[in-house]
Amino acid sequence: MITLKNQRTYARRSGRSAIEDVMAYENIEWDKLGFDYIKTDQRYLSHWRDGEWDQGTLTEDNVLHISEGSTALHYGQQCFEGLKAYRCKDGSINLFRPDQNALRMQRSCARLLMPAPSTEQFIEACKQVVKANERFIPPYGSGGALYLRPFVIGVGDNIGVRTAPEFIFSVFCIPVGPYFKGGMKPNNFVISSYDRAAPQGTGAAKVGGNYAASLMPGSQAKKNNFADCIYLDPQTHTKIEEVGSANFFAITHNDEFVTPKSPSVLPGITRLSLIELAQSRLGLKVIEGDVLIDNLGDFKEAGACGTAAVITPIGGIEYNGKLHVFYSEKEVGPVVSRLYAELTGVQSGDIEAPQGWIVKV
Ligand SMILES: *Cc1c(COP(=O)(O)O)cnc(C)c1O
């Protein structure tokens, strides 16, 4: 059987065509999937010209042909989203809060002076892509999901620093595996001395520029055997803001759910969902406020949250050469475990979702 990990090398060696390459995916070993680019069957593509988005189409072509003067290439005029589609026990397909991704994309686009797809166009594009790539949705119970990557980029002939004359809105998808194979495990993180975003900058927008700035600190952290780095608030460097490209949360000894509040924190939809579930399902008090790096002793558990990993339990955080361990470096704490079970249960349809969270494809 061809595993997904070696199928690209295999395809190259065997000199298969793109179509034959796609056929090989029929042999996907769902439990071996990671988070890797895979060319799936169809992606959605819509162009904005003369003040409006066109109808949008599905295409097999995964290569964009754009002007060398595109603002996305020179001035970082682009934004993206990430969301997942889940196969349920009854065979139906769940999209998790796609309206929230649409709204966030509209805010990101506004910040970068780009036109945004309407919520309706956004959700319709996601549904079309999921349907056209249904065979790539990992089966119920495999722990995997179909990850959707919507993005908007400024394109067209241009050289001056100004908004682009044309735009592309596209959505593609890849099957992804469970983030933690063999169960959730705590990870250690290290405080970075770099900033991810500036006050009044673009920290709250999901834009590539923030990610470009995070590549070097992230790679340094990984070289030192940490899962990623943690960014402090750019103004005072005393408060936790983001965990790499995920949001931070922690549980106090009094069972309060605490998560940073700052204009340079990306308003994650996993974070938002955990806030609501912590309150309504676990009965925890929620505090959106400062998480001082000097007061980590206030917390008995901590985690990072985002669409890709759902929840990454934080074992310890290294700051000024000292590792502060929360619950354990080996085991996941009980509150983080319950939050994880509740959220993944809601996403896969096993647990009743709050009103409006699930959109059936
Ligand atoms: C996307 C993202 C998150 C997580 O957001 P979700 O909507 O939960 O996936 C957190 N931080 C940053 C910087 C992000 O880009």
Side-chain angles (χ1 to χ4, degrees):
M1 201 187 257
I2 301 159
T3 68
L4 208 65
K5 216 156 176 76
N6 68 18
Q7 70 81 21
R8 256 172 302 184
T9 335
Y10 183 90
R12 238 178 282 126
R13 278 203 215 111
S14 66
R16 275 204 312 260
S17 71
I19 294 295
E20 286 164 334
D21 198 24
V22 163
M23 299 298 287
Y25 300 154
E26 296 292 348
N27 292 324
I28 293 174
E29 291 190 70
W30 299 109
D31 55 335
K32 297 219 167 69
L33 282 173
F35 192 83
D36 295 303
Y37 180 84
I38 289 157
K39 188 191 173 205
T40 50
D41 291 342
Q42 306 271 352
R43 67 272 311 118
Y44 175 92
L45 194 60
S46 176
H47 284 88
W48 187 93
R49 287 189 194 100
D50 305 324
E52 59 179 5
W53 294 105
D54 67 14
Q55 258 275 292
T57 52
L58 289 175
T59 170
E60 283 184 11
D61 189 359
N62 71 333
V63 178
L64 291 171
H65 191 79
I66 59 171
S67 168
E68 62 192 358
S70 295
T71 57
L73 300 177
H74 303 273
Y75 308 128
Q77 197 182 25
Q78 66 84 245
C79 69
F80 66 98
E81 278 299 325
L83 69 160
K84 282 176 174 171
Y86 304 82
R87 178 73 76 182
C88 306
K89 206 173 193 168
D90 64 3
S92 65
I93 306 163
N94 278 357
L95 276 174
F96 184 69
R97 311 192 79 173
D99 57 318
Q100 293 297 320
N101 293 93
L103 292 172
R104 186 169 65 192
M105 177 164 259
Q106 289 157 15
R107 291 196 300 266
S108 299
C109 284
R111 181 66 181 79
L112 263 53
L113 215 56
M114 301 194 287
S118 66
T119 302
E120 199 187 3
Q121 184 187 3
F122 183 95
I123 295 177
E124 177 56 28
C126 291
K127 283 184 177 177
Q128 283 186 24
V129 169
V130 173
K131 280 186 195 144
N133 297 286
E134 194 174 338
R135 69 196 184 92
F136 291 98
I137 306 175
Y140 169 80
S142 69
L146 192 71
Y147 179 82
L148 303 185
R149 172 53 64 86
F151 61 96
V152 172
I153 56 175
V155 297
D157 296 340
N158 177 72
I159 194 64
V161 180
R162 65 172 76 87
T163 191
E166 295 172 21
F167 296 86
I168 284 175
F169 166 50
S170 179
V171 182
F172 69 87
C173 69
I174 55 167
V176 297
Y179 202 80
F180 297 101
K181 293 180 187 63
M184 209 168 41
K185 277 188 286 289
N187 276 272
N188 287 343
F189 293 84
V190 60
I191 298 292
S192 175
S193 53
Y194 288 100
D195 293 327
R196 187 191 74 95
Q200 313 309 317
T202 54
K206 207 168 178 69
V207 301
N210 297 338
Y211 277 74
S214 77
L215 291 177
M216 203 237 297
S219 122
Q220 282 179 358
K222 282 161 203 158
K223 225 175 265 166
N224 291 317
N225 289 320
F226 293 98
D228 209 332
C229 61
I230 290 181
Y231 296 101
L232 300 178
D233 70 294
Q235 216 138 27
T236 69
H237 290 131
T238 58
K239 298 174 271 188
I240 288 184
E241 288 225 324
E242 292 267 9
V243 188
S245 51
N247 292 126
F248 179 87
F249 71 91
I251 311 297
T252 65
H253 296 290
N254 307 321
D255 277 330
E256 292 150 328
F257 178 101
V258 182
T259 186
K261 190 182 176 71
S262 151
S264 41
V265 164
L266 193 284
I269 293 155
T270 315
R271 171 189 183 274
L272 177 70
S273 303
L274 286 178
I275 285 176
E276 293 175 43
L277 293 175
Q279 223 156 19
S280 67
R281 304 272 170 101
L282 273 69
L284 306 179
K285 188 180 169 201
V286 170
I287 301 168
E288 288 184 72
D290 294 342
V291 176
L292 292 164
I293 189 65
D294 286 333
N295 292 353
L296 294 182
D298 292 352
F299 306 108
K300 58 178 182 181
E301 294 180 45
C305 62
T307 297
V310 191
I311 291 177
T312 305
I314 299 179
I317 295 177
E318 188 177 288
Y319 179 54
N320 287 340
K322 261 182 64 193
L323 185 73
H324 176 90
V325 175
F326 294 93
Y327 184 75
S328 153
E329 281 185 85
K330 294 269 180 312
E331 278 169 64
V332 184
V335 182
V336 167
S337 294
R338 279 170 65 205
L339 283 167
Y340 180 83
E342 191 68 31
L343 179 61
T344 52
V346 163
Q347 290 170 329
S348 64
D350 289 342
I351 297 176
E352 198 190 335
Q355 187 72 32
W357 282 21
I358 298 297
V359 171
K360 288 285 178 192
V361 175

